[in-house]
Every structure is written in C-alpha cells, then in structure tokens.
Amino acid sequence: MTGIFLCSCLGEVCGRAELEKAAGARVFPGERLCTPQGTASMAVSIREHGVDRALVLGCAAAQVDAVCASLRKAACLGTGRVRALRFAKRGNAEGRAASVRAALAALDLVPEVRTRKTKPNREVLVIGCGATGRAASEALASLGRTALMTEAASVTDIRGSAGRFTVRFRNVGGDGENARTFGALIVAAGLPEPDASRKPFVPGRIIPLADLSDRLSGLSRREFPASLAVVLDMEIDETRAGFEEACRACLDAKSLRPVETWVFLHDARVAGPGLEDLYDRAREAGVQFVKYGGRIRLDAAGSGVKVRARDTVLGEEVEISCGLAAVSGYGLATPADAELTAMLGIGTDALGRLQENNIRLLPELTGRAGIFVAGACRGATYGPDAVRDARNAALSAHELLSRPVETELSHAVVDGDKCALCLTCVRLCPFRAMTVNAEKKQAECVPESCMHCGLCAGECPNKAITLPLWSDGIILALSGAAPDAASVAKEKRP
Amino acid sequence: MKGGIVALCCENSGWKALASLGDDPVLDGVEAVRLPCSGKAETGMMLKILEKGAAGVLVLGCPKDDCTFLRGSARAQKRVAVARAALKDAGVGEERVRMEFISSVDTPRLAEAIRAMKAALEAHEGKA
Amino acid sequence: MSTYIVVGSGVAGCAAALAFAKAGNKVELLEAEGRIGGKVLSYCCKATDSCSRCGVCTAHDLFAQILAHPGVAIRTAVDLRTVREAGGRTSVRVGASGPWIDPKACIDCGRCVPACPSRAIRRYARGGVSFHHIEGTQCADAPDAPCPSCRNACPTGAIHAADPAGTLKKADGVLLALGHRPFDPALKPRLGYGRFPNVFTGAEAEEILSRRTTLTRADAASTAAPRSVAFIQCVGSRDPLLKRNWCSAVCCAYALRLARLLAHRDPGAEITVYAIDVQDFDKALTPLRAELEAKGVKIVRGVPSSVDSAAGGRLRLLVEDPKSGARTAEHDAVVLSVGLGPDPRARATAARFGLDPDADGFLPEGGGGVRAAGTCAAPQGIPGSMAQGRAAALELMSGRAGGHVGSRAGGHG
Amino acid sequence: MITAVRKPFDEIRDLVKGYDRLLILGCGTCVTVCMAGGEKEVGILASTLRLADQKDGRSREITEATIERQCDREFFDAVKEKMAAADAVLSMACGVGAQFCGEVFAGKAVLPALNTKFYGTTEGPGVWSARCSGCGTCVIADFGGICPVTRCSKSLLNGPCGGSSKGKCEVDPANIECGWQLIHDRMKLLGRLADLEAVQPLKDWSTGRDGGPGRIVKEDATL
C-alpha cells in the first residue's frame, strides 16, 4: 500500500481527498518531516500500516535525497521505494497534482530489490615490483593486510570482480600455470624502458637519460666527454621526475669531472618541494638551460653529437655539439603494455597510459571496482606522487576488503527472448559487467560489477535490457509523460 | 512556450546543479527527471516525451572526463544528435532536443543553458 | 576503534576525516571559520564541454559524504583553547569563538535567516551540498550580551552558542590540514592590483566565474566579457626577493584552465598567458596545450614587470622582449595568478601541536601522532591535497596501532 | 549477417502518405545487430512519424511491434491482431523479411523502411563491411581466404587492376581496401604467393544471382 506523507510546513498541496482518490493511497499529515523526529514518525506509520511505498511531499528547502535515504533505513524499505517531491511556494494545484500522480506511477513500478553480501578474499595482489609497488605493499602491511607482489610479465589472465579476482600466473620454471584468487589488485607496473637501439638513440652517443649516471661513472678520465647535453620534452611534456633527474645527472657529472653541460627543455618543472632550489644549484654550478620551442634535432655526426633547436627566450636558433647526449625516455617508448591493459579491462588516457584521465578516478581508481593503479604506469612518474598513489591505493583496497562486498541486486536485466547477442552491451560497458552466457545464448550482467549506470539499457538495439529502478515506465512516469499510472503499470515487471 | 521542458538530468551533475538553483524562476516550466547517468537517456525516450506534449527535452550530462561512468555523457551526446536529426526530418525543428554538459558545481551555466533553450523554443514557436 | 582529530575542513582535512571514518574510527573535524569546505567553495567549475580536472566538483562530493557519514562530528568557529600531548594521546580543549551552526544538523530550512537581527546568516548551496552558516564578523553575539535569536528559531537545534571555556576532546592522532593564504599582490604594487578595477587576482577570477559566466566585477558598468584577457604567472611565487622562492604549483593549473574556459566561451577573445615555465599539472598536459594553441590562446615566455592604464580603460603591460628590449601589450583585463603561501595562523596552530615549519614556512608531513597535509604542507592542487590527506590518514591509522589496525578496524566496519 | 540501413525519412513519409492506420514492424535478428530495424529503431521511426503528423495536423494511428524474425511464418502470429487493424505495414526487416511479410499477409500493403546492403561483418561498434556476394561457388580457397568477387570492386579474378594506391581501391580510396592488396598480403603471409600465378578459369555465374532467384531443397528436412 502506498503512503503519502504530507509535511505540515507545505500547507495545502492539493485536496487531500483528491490525493487519496488519485492513487488509492493513504495520506499521513506530519510535522516537519525533514527532521530526524519527522523521519521517525513516518517510520512508525509505515510499520503500523504496512506501507511498502512512501511518497514524501515537502517544501522547497527539504533535503530530498537525505530524507529518502534516512526514511529508507528507518523503515527498512527497499531502494527506490521512497520518493520525495519538493513544491515551491508558487506553482498551481493542477501542476502539483500532476507531479504527485507521476511520482506515484513511478513508485508503483519499482520492484522489490534484495542485496547480496559476499565475503571478499582478503589478499591483495600488487602487480609491479618497483618503488611504487613496494610502497603499496608496505602500506598494505602497515594496515595488517597480506599482499603478494609479482611482475606484470608473469600474469597470464585476470578474471572475476571486486572481492574475488582469479589471476593466473606462469610457473616460475616457465612450464604450466597456476591460479590464485585475490580481493583487490594494485597495478604499479611502471612504464617500459625506451629501446636504446632505435631512433632517436645512437648507442654510445645518444643514450637514454636513465643510463647516463651509470655510463659516466664507468668512464676513465680520457673517455669522459668534454661536454654533455640532456634533452627533455622530446615527444611529450616532461614531468618533474625528468627535470629532477636531468638536474641531478648534470650536477653528478660536474662533481666527477669539469664538463660543460646543457639541458634542452620546454619548461623547468619545479612544482615540487626542493625543486626550485635544485634548479638554482644547477644553474649556479654552470649548467646551461635552453628552453626550446617546437622540434629539436639531434644527429650523431662525426665524433660528437649536434643538437639544433630554437631558443624561445633569446628567440633564435641555437646549435651546439657535445661529446654525449642523453634523452629522457618519457613519452618515447610505447606506454602501458597492451596485453596487461586488456587483461585488466581498464581504460587508458589520451597518451595510452593506464587509467582514463577522469577527475573522478584520480589518483588511484580505475573504471573497475577493486582494481587500482599507482605511479608511472598511470603517468605519475614524480617520486612523491607515486608513493602517495601507492598509499591511496592501499587504503582503498583496505576499505573495500574490510567489510563484506554488498551488491544491490538492481543490476541490468537482459530479456533472453529479445536479446540478439549483438554484443553492443558487452563492448560498451565501461565496467566489464556485461558478459555472454553461452548456455542461455544471451548477454548477462554480473551483479557485482554492475554500476547501475544504464548505458547498456540505453544502447540496446532491441530494448532487451532494463535497469529495474530506472525502467522506461518509471522515467516516462517521472517526466509527466504518462497520462496515468494504470497504463504504465501494465508494463511487464522484470 | 506551449508545454514545459523536461530535463533528463544525470544525478551526479545536472540534478545537483538544478537542486542548487532552488526555486530560481528560471526553473519555471522545467520538469526535472533524475537518471542514474545521462547515458541512460535514449533517443526513443526523448522523442516519446516530445510526442506527449513537452515543448523540449534538455539532456544534462557531465562534461567529458568528469563522468562518473566514464562514457555516459559521450553516449548521450550521440543519442541527442540522432534525436535532433529525427526532429529535423519530421520538420519539427531540432532545437526541441538539446544536450548540455554541466558539472554539479556549474550553477550559473545551467541557468544560462535553460534560458538559451527557452529562447530557442520561443523563437522556433514564433516561426512555426 | 580510535578517535582522531582533524584540524581544518578543507579538501585535505575532509579527505582524511572520511578515510578515518570509513575505517570505523570516530572523527572530530574542527574548523576555525564559520563554514566547512575552505577556499574550494569559492572556486568555479572550469569545464567547457570537457572537464579540465580541477577537482572542485569532486571536492563537493567529498563534503557531501562527510555531511552524511555518522562517524564524523563537525564543529565550526573553533577556538583551540589548550593542546596537551600525553602518552601518544592528544587532548584538546575545543572552544567556539562565536555562535556556530553544525552543518550536519542543519536541514537547510532557512528559518534562522530572518530571525537574525544583524543579517549574519548565509546559505551555501552548490554541487549537492547545502547548509547555513554564521558570518562571524557580522554576528552581534558577545560574551556579555549573548543573542539567542537564531538558536531559538532553529527547529533542529543545529545552532550552538559561543563557548569560551570549551570542551575537552581526546584523540589517538591529529591531522593538521590548515590550508594556505593566497599571495597579496599589494606587495607588488607595480602590477596595478587595487589601482585598476579590471586587474583581478586568480582567486577573485575563480569567485566571479563561480557566480557569473563572464569575468566582470559585480559593480562593473557593462557585463560584457572582456575581449582581451592577460594572465600574469608567478605573482608571489619563485620570487627570492620576497623570500617566496618556491613554485606554488596551482597557478599554471588554474590560469591555463581559466584561459581555456574564457577562450571557449568567447571564441573571438584574445587570451594571453605570460609565463616563465608551464608546470606539469595534468596527465594530459601536452594535448591540453595543443588544444589551447588551437583555440588561439598564446603562451608567451616572460612575465610583465608592470601594469599601467591605457586608453579606453584598457591596461598596458610592460613585457621584456629579448630581441627588441622592452615592448608593451594592451589588454582589457589582467588576472594576476597569485601563488599560495603559508598562513601565519596555521604556523601558530602547528607550533601548539609541536610541528615546526620549514624555512619557507610550510609544515613537515610530521611523525608520531601529529601529521600535516594539504596546502599547509606544500603548495598543491585539489586532487593532490585530497590524496595527501588520505595518505596521512593511512600513516596515522597504521602508525598508531603498530600494523594490526587492519583486522581490528575492519572487524565491524 | 544481412546488413541494412534505414531509408531517408522523406522517402518513408511519401511511402506511407496514404495510410491512416500504420503498423511499424521491427525484426529482432540481423537488422537488430546492425542497428537498423530493432525495437529501438522502430520506436524512433514511429515517434518521428507521429511528430511529423502532429506538425502537419494529420491524424493517423501508428502502432509498433518487433518480432523475432520476419523470414519465418510462425513468428508473425504474435502480431496478427495488429496486422489486421492496420491499413499498411512498414516493415523494418531486410528485403527478405519485408517481402515475406507481404506473402504471409497477402493483400496487405507492406512497405520497406530499410535498404538492404550486403552480407557483412561487424568491423567494430557501429561499423559493418561486406565479405560475401552469394555467388554460389565459393573460390576463396584459391585466394588465401579472401573473396575477390566481393572485396575487389571490379570482381577481378586474375590479379589487380593496377589502379590502387597505398593499398586503397581507386573506386573509394577513403573506405575501400584494395581486395587484391589484401589477397597479396595474405598469400605472402601463407607463403603461397606463387599459387596466384595459376590462371582462374571463366567463372560460371549461373550458380549465383545470374542463374535466377535461388532455391534450396534439403530433402531430409522437408516434412
């Protein structure tokens, strides 16, 4: 039976009799329904009269969402079984009656929604054994949670959803595979090293920046270059990590031998604690910074390396030749490895790195619950940011696994008769919740992965998919488009 | 403007921006429908709402890269494009369906978008 | 189940408070101002049809979660009377410098607004968050002449009286998220702030654009958008002379995002950003700069040294051009991208908790039971501050319980 | 699958001009998969027609239905009443379904809403391309599994016409891959490049469309 709760501060909405007649509902007038006491009084009426659907009519200020949420908990009504309407002081009775009818029609179509609790697997898999991966494992351990660290290369398959991922590994010996289940995955796989043999590198003359310090420390006095150039921002804008590495490498080189050093870059990336001081120290030590615009040309001519670029500060072409050139690998190598990305089923950003560049995901979330990313593999190459990512990922994994995974069973429902298995929903779902049920020969939704966004239902060419709490009937009713509740209620309930 | 504007709002952006407009007169004649995501708004739904007598349908989605469901508003944009093409075919004028990307905290731009749609509908009605 | 105190309810403080609460702990969130949220409430959304990832909307979602979470208790207009640390636990006597409204109990009914004789009560409603708060400077309540009118009008008892004595709160860990103070451009008078109405600070531009869609002052004659806007970077940052030799990290972020927004809204506008070095504030900085170039936004190397008036109310900027020496450029409006700096009040509060700031005045991340996060620890943007708040919360939760908090806190989460 | 695209709206509007009670009938199989005639498209076309009618002040009753397939008689039973109540049926099935609907309901005006295109595959979401022309004698084995009749715009069997550039066909360089480029690359991959030296005999086109409308009888399956 539907209960209409009429708040006293609203005064006359439209005739009380008219309300009851409109939908065969029972009207309960009440005092200040948006306060905790008001909610409690409504809950009592709901229990006493066996109300299973509630419509609260309040003034313009009422916190609609908060009232619905608290009443649902207080009167243990299912999701979607409580709706609230706010009426501005203006507005005519006819308009308000129509809104009440629309809301009642929508309420009438809301099915019973159960929730399912599953105990999550408590172990976390950290993919990547670099600094970020280790930071994540330490943070997990400090939260009393066991973590297994592995290299991305040894992972062969990932299935399942938050709380229960099944991951297959290559056996250490390389023959055969083994599988284990984990509650959550933290991906800290870093970025692949650039290929030192391909353009723009020339072995021994133009080398990756990461190898510069080792190479210099291994040289004798005679072999040490008289001049050295570091190049940043070659393909894409460098991060603070590359800038810091360039400054340190030049300062280290000068500490070994008197050597003339240049750093070619678009901008000095100093937005981190201590980086401005490092930049000052490098300049004081004689490192020459050239802020170039556009393309930079390197060619290993004769014994040295010629570097040509346009200096945007002086506004003219600059050309130097040096004994050794080091180019930052950032943005040169192909980004996150495609195979791991496919196994994880998560999106990548415009530059091909893990995690779509969506503000709601920053810093450690991905589209899929239970899968987190941290550090260079998502583009955060600057040390302190990567460690912070790792800690955030560990905390999110801990939050997910410290209580049963509660799944509200109002996920998308596929009508097998109408499904033509066109796979549109399977391809579209950002959360890999839609799969193919081979036995039933239809698409099917995994409740644990479904985020109830309705994209699949909106795209299905045969309207075979319904989101129970947001069915066409409910939306049409809410948009006042349905003339009366009766015609809409006829719709087949999932 | 005969009939009202039905605003199909994503509950993470448009719905919150509309709520913070409170009872601003710009909302007169605007019926807000809450959706889990603008990606749930279907072309057929928009046309059916217009058939039932609404003057216009305004789909409010999150700006790209702000969408809680990652691709919702991008899908909605494509579906609004199909609806507008259908309205153009029917000779009813494509401005009766419009897509706006408004985040939950961009109240001024929502008010401006609603005013713009009302003006476009009135201009069209004057012509038709 | 532990209790934590978070001082400061900006994005860093709220992110930490939510992390503590989600792990099953009790949190006392203390805010010195009359309202929670900090400076983010005055920042605008800088999205065009696509988001620029500034974080203002996710900050509001965070505030909404804090207001809804039962484990977090909020007190505003807080005046910390005493701070004592004993055996790993910190006890703080929390007073109230004036009447304050608890945003969790406020049902936004607005009855207190007409009841207040000195019209000191404001309403904030944006991004799914709405509450009333008292403007301390306006409120006529005084220790010797208390004014109970708003308290009597409130149906839910959300308004509390001033409390000079204060109540004692004990906590197993304290997080200081005390925020920052934007640079006051009056310290660089040649940039014309205050002399010319169409010279804005970055903070002002954000506040204006969060209320209106054009960059014009409320009392300006015409509300037409300025056709030519200049952003001047590094105002009060990377400035050894003013002993502010750090990069404030956020000015390139908000300047380029505002430039993109203004260029999108008025394609004919001429937007120029005068910068020294553009910082890496976004994962997709390269595509963003390409988009700016395509939209005609020019990023010019070199920061103007002075702003003077020119004909027609316009502004003339003196820019050093390496080839031809100084040259001038004229614009309709100038935004001074002021940087972040330590807030002197924050330094005093931190000292009481035993945290001493570094040479620049920023707080160390701290150790043991007291940590610092957000812009009081280092200049950073909204997503960075939130991430640092959560990371500091993790350190406090794990550090405190020697590593077995996981199972205990999770026991009845 | 059989792929199709919807006819332009003006053409459809002219087709149904004279009818006051119209049934728009969708098909739930091939044309649903290629997004041309499923229940969603039926809804969109119906709403568009109704909006156009509203604007022109024309009163007309337009009903909607979608059945599993329009190429099997029994599936039409589900819409018998709606069929009877309609003056005409706008079939959103492929050419097969539209015609068979006319046969099942002899005497009822059945109008096609789609233009049927080719036997094709889904290259990616929203993109379909042809693979077979139903010539009745499959020869792809000689060409590494790629059909020259379909994939070459001129259906050449003995080598490319020489008009392609960068692997694209001169007929439509933007969209059509040169069939023979594909065949060459595939045969090279299979190490059978030499087999292309063999001369293909004249092709007997009578096994396909040129032999008149096709008919298959599988004796064991007839009742």
Side-chain angles (χ1 to χ4, degrees):
Chain A
M1 186 260 280
T2 303
I4 300 182
F5 295 88
L6 188 55
C7 185
S8 57
C9 43
L10 196 56
E12 256 319 295
V13 171
C14 42
R16 179 170 161 191
E18 207 264 349
L19 277 180
E20 273 175 356
K21 173 170 65 51
R26 177 90 192 275
V27 178
F28 301 88
E31 279 298 314
R32 268 201 275 287
L33 297 180
C34 50
T35 61
Q37 304 79 354
T39 307
S41 70
M42 285 194 278
V44 167
S45 314
I46 286 172
R47 267 196 297 282
E48 270 165 19
H49 299 277
V51 168
D52 60 1
R53 287 177 172 77
L55 173 61
V56 182
L57 306 182
C59 63
Q63 299 246 287
V64 173
D65 304 339
V67 167
C68 290
S70 46
L71 182 57
R72 244 201 344 267
K73 265 198 216 79
C76 27
L77 287 174
T79 311
R81 283 302 180 82
V82 182
R83 284 200 183 273
L85 283 177
R86 295 194 293 204
F87 291 120
K89 304 270 178 309
R90 302 185 315 284
N92 52 52
E94 184 26 46
R96 292 178 173 181
S99 302
V100 168
R101 273 201 306 277
L104 291 174
L107 259 177
D108 191 40
L109 286 167
V110 172
E112 190 55 45
V113 171
R114 287 174 299 100
T115 54
R116 175 163 70 193
K117 288 191 175 160
T118 48
K119 258 186 86 47
N121 180 298
R122 301 186 63 78
E123 210 187 359
V124 179
L125 175 66
V126 175
I127 301 178
C129 305
T132 310
R134 285 196 303 278
S137 304
E138 281 149 27
L140 285 165
S142 72
L143 286 166
R145 194 161 288 286
T146 55
L148 174 74
M149 267 172 73
T150 180
E151 271 308 332
S154 63
V155 175
T156 57
D157 182 44
I158 299 172
R159 292 179 192 275
S161 56
R164 182 155 296 100
F165 289 103
T166 308
V167 182
R168 298 185 62 80
F169 302 91
R170 262 184 215 92
N171 284 343
V172 174
D175 52 352
E177 290 178 351
N178 63 77
R180 263 172 82 155
T181 57
F182 298 91
L185 313 177
I186 296 179
V187 186
L191 285 174
E193 292 305 322
D195 178 351
S197 60
R198 282 188 37 247
K199 234 166 65 68
F201 300 110
V202 172
R205 303 281 242 350
I206 303 177
I207 59 171
L209 178 55
D211 309 343
L212 182 59
S213 293
D214 306 345
R215 178 153 171 69
L216 287 180
S217 52
L219 294 179
S220 67
R221 174 184 295 278
R222 205 171 33 74
E223 295 159 330
F224 207 90
S227 54
L228 164 68
V230 174
V231 176
L232 304 176
D233 298 306
M234 192 155 191
E235 285 296 322
I236 59 175
D237 284 285
E238 194 56 70
T239 69
R240 284 152 284 170
F243 176 75
E244 183 177 33
E245 200 178 349
C247 292
R248 289 210 194 294
C250 290
L251 286 171
D252 292 350
K254 280 185 173 297
S255 66
L256 292 172
R257 291 282 185 286
V259 57
E260 194 178 12
T261 54
W262 284 276
V263 176
F264 286 80
L265 70 173
H266 281 168
D267 298 282
R269 301 275 146 77
V270 287
L275 291 182
E276 185 73 11
D277 297 338
L278 176 65
Y279 186 33
D280 291 346
R281 283 210 314 280
R283 281 182 293 184
E284 278 141 23
V287 178
Q288 296 161 79
F289 288 82
V290 178
K291 294 178 184 172
Y292 71 92
R295 305 300 310 168
I296 184 166
R297 279 175 307 284
L298 282 96
D299 39 57
S303 63
V305 176
K306 211 182 279 327
V307 182
R308 277 197 314 279
R310 200 174 63 78
D311 182 334
T312 56
V313 177
L314 305 177
E316 58 193 32
E317 279 292 314
V318 164
E319 181 179 313
I320 61 129
S321 64
C322 56
L324 180 66
V327 179
S328 154
Y330 187 67
L332 290 182
T334 51
D337 77 53
E339 209 191 311
L340 177 64
T341 313
M343 276 193 274
L344 292 165
I346 55 177
T348 56
D349 66 19
L351 302 170
R353 293 161 304 187
L354 289 183
Q355 184 197 49
E356 292 167 58
N357 196 13
N358 179 315
I359 181 65
R360 293 177 189 279
L361 299 180
L362 300 182
E364 83 283 3
L365 303 179
T366 64
R368 297 188 63 195
I371 300 184
F372 309 99
V373 283
C377 65
R378 75 172 198 88
T381 51
Y382 180 50
D385 285 0
V387 169
R388 187 181 299 174
D389 283 3
R391 286 197 183 134
N392 273 264
L395 188 58
S396 294
H398 175 65
E399 279 165 6
L400 172 75
L401 302 180
S402 21
R403 59 183 58 78
V405 177
E406 208 173 306
T407 309
E408 190 186 82
L409 297 179
S410 62
H411 53 278
V413 174
V414 181
D415 175 350
D417 307 341
K418 295 171 76 173
C419 170
L421 259 182
C422 69
L423 303 178
T424 299
C425 55
V426 175
R427 292 176 182 137
L428 169 73
C429 176
F431 313 105
R432 277 181 96 161
M434 292 307 275
T435 56
V436 174
N437 181 323
E439 298 81 32
K440 289 196 209 155
K441 287 198 173 25
Q442 65 168 76
E444 198 166 55
C445 176
V446 177
E448 281 70 25
S449 306
C450 178
M451 301 283 270
H452 312 146
C453 64
L455 259 61
C456 52
E459 201 81 17
C460 174
N462 214 20
K463 294 178 78 60
I465 305 178
T466 319
L467 206 55
L469 294 180
W470 304 93
S471 68
D472 281 4
I474 290 174
I475 293 175
L476 272 173
L478 285 175
S479 63
D484 52 57
S487 74
V488 169
K490 188 155 57 28
E491 184 210 23
K492 185 169 65 114
R493 281 215 194 126
Chain B
M1 178 181 66
K2 199 160 49 38
I5 292 180
V6 173
L8 299 178
C9 311
C10 158
E11 66 181 352
N12 302 302
S13 58
W15 180 261
K16 290 178 182 168
L18 258 163
S20 48
L21 274 178
D23 39 21
D24 182 318
V26 79
L27 288 185
D28 288 353
V30 175
E31 171 98 26
V33 176
R34 178 182 186 158
L35 297 179
C37 173
S38 58
K40 179 67 183 64
E42 299 162 37
T43 306
M45 173 69 58
M46 300 171 204
L47 298 178
K48 234 184 222 105
I49 289 174
L50 290 180
E51 268 184 66
K52 302 279 187 211
V57 173
L58 175 61
V59 178
L60 294 174
C62 308
K64 199 171 79 61
D65 286 346
D66 182 32
C67 175
T68 313
F69 302 112
L70 308 180
R71 296 177 208 144
S73 48
R75 299 310 310 170
Q77 182 175 31
K78 291 197 172 204
R79 297 194 196 129
V80 165
V82 172
R84 288 170 71 94
L87 291 176
K88 205 164 173 205
D89 289 347
V92 170
E94 58 181 2
E95 63 291 334
R96 294 189 59 189
V97 173
R98 180 190 282 247
M99 172 90 195
E100 288 289 347
F101 297 93
I102 311 270
S103 85
S104 58
V105 285
D106 208 349
T107 319
R109 213 150 67 80
L110 175 63
E112 189 191 82
I114 294 176
R115 268 190 284 274
M117 179 156 195
K118 284 185 175 178
L121 289 174
E122 253 126 32
H124 170 67
E125 226 164 75
K127 260 201 332 301
Chain C
M1 215 262 290
S2 314
T3 305
Y4 291 95
I5 283 181
V6 174
V7 186
S9 68
V11 285
C14 287
L18 192 62
F20 289 133
K22 271 187 179 171
N25 302 297
K26 210 174 158 336
V27 187
E28 295 284 344
L29 183 56
L30 310 179
E31 169 55 55
E33 298 296 324
R35 71 178 180 182
I36 64 163
K39 296 187 177 55
V40 174
L41 303 187
S42 63
Y43 294 161
C44 69
C45 168
K46 293 171 270 302
T48 56
D49 280 355
S50 74
C51 161
S52 66
R53 289 165 295 283
C54 66
V56 172
C57 57
T58 45
H60 281 77
D61 294 347
L62 173 62
F63 301 143
Q65 284 181 337
I66 285 287
L67 291 175
H69 202 291
V72 180
I74 299 179
R75 302 172 73 95
T76 57
V78 158
D79 165 21
L80 293 179
R81 307 300 301 158
T82 62
V83 175
R84 245 180 240 81
E85 199 271 340
R89 276 175 73 84
T90 311
S91 57
V92 177
R93 184 164 287 283
V94 179
S97 53
W100 56 282
I101 301 179
D102 176 356
K104 288 179 76 99
C106 170
I107 58 166
D108 200 22
C109 67
R111 280 199 193 77
C112 52
V113 178
C116 171
S118 45
R119 287 206 310 285
I121 297 181
R122 306 280 180 277
R123 176 174 186 253
Y124 182 82
R126 195 165 68 133
V129 169
S130 65
F131 52 80
H132 284 73
H133 57 91
I134 294 176
E135 189 57 63
T137 52
Q138 207 78 18
C139 171
D141 181 87
D144 44 10
C147 159
S149 34
C150 57
R151 289 201 294 284
N152 302 338
C154 177
T156 63
I159 304 183
H160 301 266
D163 177 9
T167 51
L168 199 63
K169 299 279 175 191
K170 288 200 173 359
D172 302 301
V174 175
L175 182 87
L176 303 179
L178 305 165
H180 65 274
R181 168 169 297 177
F183 172 70
D184 174 5
L187 294 172
K188 299 188 79 138
R190 300 184 64 220
L191 293 179
Y193 179 72
R195 274 188 289 141
F196 307 111
N198 42 6
V199 173
F200 305 85
T201 67
E204 277 173 347
E206 290 258 7
E207 165 103 44
I208 290 168
L209 290 168
S210 76
R211 296 174 195 286
R212 286 192 302 286
T213 54
T214 57
L215 185 59
T216 50
R217 291 214 183 266
D219 50 14
S222 95
T223 58
R227 297 300 307 202
S228 164
V229 179
F231 288 84
I232 300 181
Q233 297 310 101
C234 299
V235 176
S237 306
R238 305 183 73 183
D239 194 330
L241 295 178
L242 293 175
K243 289 198 182 45
R244 298 175 68 99
N245 194 22
W246 62 78
C247 164
S248 296
V250 298
C251 340
C252 279
Y254 70 66
L256 264 61
R257 287 166 175 156
L258 285 174
R260 171 175 170 270
L261 179 64
L262 296 177
H264 175 78
R265 285 211 179 130
D266 180 1
E270 179 221 335
I271 315 278
T272 313
V273 179
Y274 295 93
I276 300 174
D277 293 300
V278 174
Q279 298 307 318
D280 65 318
F281 56 84
D282 189 286
K283 276 215 305 184
L285 178 63
T286 308
L288 178 65
R289 291 184 68 164
E291 182 191 350
L292 284 175
E293 218 173 315
K295 278 198 162 94
V297 173
K298 289 190 291 300
I299 299 179
V300 170
R301 185 83 69 180
V303 171
S305 52
S306 72
V307 176
D308 296 307
S309 63
R314 302 191 75 196
L315 298 164
R316 179 183 307 111
L317 278 62
L318 197 62
V319 186
E320 285 86 22
D321 181 332
K323 273 228 205 45
S324 62
R327 68 172 173 76
T328 59
E330 285 196 7
H331 297 276
D332 297 329
V334 166
V335 177
L336 305 180
S337 298
V338 292
L340 310 184
D343 182 340
R345 285 180 309 166
R347 188 195 305 244
T349 307
R352 299 173 70 180
F353 285 92
L355 277 192
D356 305 324
D358 63 20
D360 290 335
F362 292 103
L363 300 177
E365 288 209 342
V370 179
R371 308 274 167 143
T375 47
C376 67
Q380 55 194 316
I382 295 171
S385 297
M386 283 202 227
Q388 189 179 31
R390 273 170 57 84
L394 176 127
E395 294 296 302
L396 275 171
M397 285 193 281
S398 54
R400 214 205 74 61
H404 56 73
V405 78
S407 50
R408 195 157 52 100
H412 54 77
Chain D
M1 85 193 118
I2 298 172
T3 58
V5 286
R6 207 195 70 178
K7 282 176 174 292
F9 182 73
D10 299 338
E11 185 183 339
I12 293 177
R13 194 155 52 168
D14 292 344
L15 282 176
V16 298
K17 215 171 28 263
Y19 301 99
D20 290 338
R21 289 176 302 150
L22 187 65
L23 166 65
I24 300 183
L25 188 61
C27 171
T29 317
C30 310
V31 286
T32 289
V33 176
C34 65
M35 303 262 184
E39 183 173 330
K40 181 172 86 165
E41 293 301 326
V42 168
I44 291 171
L45 180 57
S47 292
T48 312
L49 276 171
R50 287 195 204 100
L51 285 167
D53 290 349
Q54 264 175 24
K55 179 171 181 302
D56 300 343
R58 185 189 194 300
S59 72
R60 169 169 33 203
E61 193 211 326
I62 299 177
T63 52
E64 304 167 32
T66 303
I67 57 175
E68 179 65 23
R69 286 200 300 273
Q70 292 192 25
C71 46
D72 276 298
R73 184 176 297 277
E74 291 76 4
F75 288 123
F76 286 104
D77 297 348
V79 287
K80 254 200 178 41
E81 315 77 30
K82 284 191 175 175
M83 274 294 194
D87 300 340
V89 181
L90 188 58
S91 165
M92 294 193 80
C94 65
V96 175
Q99 291 182 63
F100 191 60
C101 178
E103 293 168 35
V104 170
F105 296 94
K108 181 75 66 180
V110 176
L111 310 158
L114 309 185
N115 293 327
T116 306
K117 301 287 282 182
F118 46 74
Y119 306 127
T121 173
T122 310
E123 270 186 17
V127 179
W128 296 276
S129 60
R131 288 296 181 282
C132 171
S133 310
C135 70
T137 316
C138 196
V139 294
I140 63 175
D142 300 342
F143 303 96
I146 295 171
C147 171
V149 176
T150 310
R151 306 298 296 279
C152 167
S153 305
K154 301 169 185 167
S155 297
L156 302 177
L157 296 178
N158 282 294
C161 68
S164 73
S165 70
K166 299 198 190 68
K168 296 288 184 186
C169 168
E170 63 183 356
V171 170
D172 179 357
N175 298 311
I176 302 179
E177 307 268 352
C178 166
W180 274 93
Q181 180 72 52
L182 297 172
I183 291 170
H184 168 270
D185 297 347
R186 175 72 60 79
M187 293 293 268
K188 194 168 171 210
L189 193 64
L190 297 170
R192 291 178 48 208
L193 211 49
D195 294 356
L196 286 180
E197 300 292 341
V199 175
Q200 283 291 328
L202 288 178
K203 184 163 172 49
D204 169 10
W205 295 95
S206 69
T207 57
R209 173 68 196 80
D210 299 341
R215 180 173 170 81
I216 300 169
V217 175
K218 194 166 191 313
E219 190 47 43
D220 58 317
T222 58
L223 301 184

